[in-house]
Amino acid sequence: EAQVTQNPRYLITVTGKKLTVTCSQNMNHEYMSWYRQDPGLGLRQIYYSMNVEVTDKGDVPEGYKVSRKEKRNFPLILESPSPNQTSLYFCASNVDRYGTEAFFGQGTRLTVV
Amino acid sequence: SQKIEQNSEALNIQEGKTATLTCNYTNYSPAYLQWYRQDPGRGPVFLLLIRENEKEKRKERLKVTFDTTLKQSLFHITASQPADSATYLCALDLWGGKLIFGQGTELSVKP
């Protein structure tokens, strides 16, 4: 089954403790991206990757890092999480960029206390 | 400044009626515009895509229009059903790689 898989689904952590949210797609898609979703603000793009080893900042990249060493994986790293990073996070992939649909993962609800 | 705005209030309609959702944007020049459906606690699901040089696109009970002069897209669901109740997101597909989402419009279809 074609899918985008994120882990974990739920995470509660403390301020400053480094964490990684994993994202994997099995569709051989070139383009992958991370979003956060907050009430009243909608989905905001954090980082995106056009292909392996090619990443770029979205609209809200501060406090996040990503890497794209393999085509299928695109982990999101929070080196020193803060409470304002409490949010619902989604990973998505597209076959390529421009005019293709985004396939979203099931989401990761992160709480930083 | 750059903005993308959808109907700010929730939309409540009666079953069988046509729902019309609006997406307006300023200071963007999208190559494409996309519409997604999102159910509570789930990831968005793609519905339709329309190119900048297309005026209208249809898929079953769904219709999207795209006016690049007005910088507006309208999303219509005809013969609406309670199962259509969800949040609908528009997204601007920009040259350069970004996909920018609106905040969404919550649609409720009453039997």
Side-chain angles (χ1 to χ4, degrees):
Chain A
E1 181 192 349
Q3 59 187 1
V4 177
T5 303
Q6 295 177 228
N7 279 297
R9 292 289 313 277
Y10 302 92
L11 180 60
I12 301 174
T13 190
V14 296
T15 299
K17 186 176 181 182
K18 181 179 178 179
L19 66 92
T20 299
V21 183
T22 63
C23 174
S24 181
Q25 50 93 5
N26 62 359
M27 297 170 278
N28 201 36
H29 284 176
E30 289 187 354
Y31 183 91
M32 297 185 74
S33 54
W34 275 102
Y35 295 85
R36 62 178 288 174
Q37 187 170 38
D38 302 288
L41 295 176
L43 276 165
R44 292 180 292 167
Q45 195 173 43
I46 303 171
Y47 269 95
Y48 62 94
S49 170
M50 303 279 268
N51 214 324
V52 175
E53 302 291 3
V54 180
T55 63
D56 212 341
K57 295 177 181 178
D59 288 327
V60 288
E62 294 77 20
Y64 304 95
K65 282 176 59 176
V66 293
S67 68
R68 187 93 181 273
K69 293 184 170 49
E70 310 162 277
K71 202 169 189 179
R72 63 183 293 125
N73 296 322
F74 190 45
L76 180 70
I77 303 156
L78 285 73
E79 294 269 2
S80 183
S82 62
N84 64 12
Q85 292 178 297
T86 292
S87 188
L88 179 58
Y89 291 86
F90 288 102
C91 178
S93 73
N94 300 55
V95 62
D96 56 28
R97 215 38 219 111
Y98 309 130
T100 63
E101 65 178 281
F103 291 82
F104 282 83
Q106 66 274 55
T108 295
R109 188 166 291 282
L110 172 67
T111 303
V112 184
V113 298
Chain B
S1 66
Q2 295 175 316
K3 279 195 303 186
I4 174 171
E5 291 182 325
Q6 299 187 239
N7 307 54
S8 56
E9 310 222 343
L11 189 60
N12 297 299
I13 64 168
Q14 208 64 32
E15 184 176 7
K17 300 291 187 186
T18 295
T20 298
L21 285 66
T22 304
C23 177
N24 294 297
Y25 60 93
T26 54
N27 294 323
Y28 284 116
S29 296
Y32 306 87
L33 191 143
Q34 304 189 23
W35 284 88
Y36 289 78
R37 169 185 172 137
Q38 187 175 24
D39 293 289
R42 310 286 295 268
V45 174
F46 172 80
L47 296 173
L48 276 171
L49 175 150
I50 186 165
R51 291 181 173 77
E52 61 176 340
N53 59 357
E54 292 180 313
K55 293 277 193 249
E56 184 178 298
K57 199 87 170 273
R58 291 175 187 259
K59 179 182 174 184
E60 296 170 355
R61 294 184 296 112
L62 308 180
K63 184 177 88 170
V64 172
T65 63
F66 191 16
D67 189 326
T68 54
T69 302
L70 288 179
K71 295 188 183 297
Q72 181 182 78
S73 175
L74 299 178
F75 178 78
H76 306 271
I77 306 175
T78 58
S80 60
Q81 304 164 1
D84 294 326
S85 299
T87 296
Y88 290 86
L89 308 170
C90 70
L92 302 183
D93 201 334
L94 304 178
W95 298 108
K98 289 186 179 180
L99 188 62
I100 307 294
F101 283 83
Q103 79 276 26
T105 297
E106 188 177 343
L107 173 67
S108 178
V109 181
K110 304 294 185 191

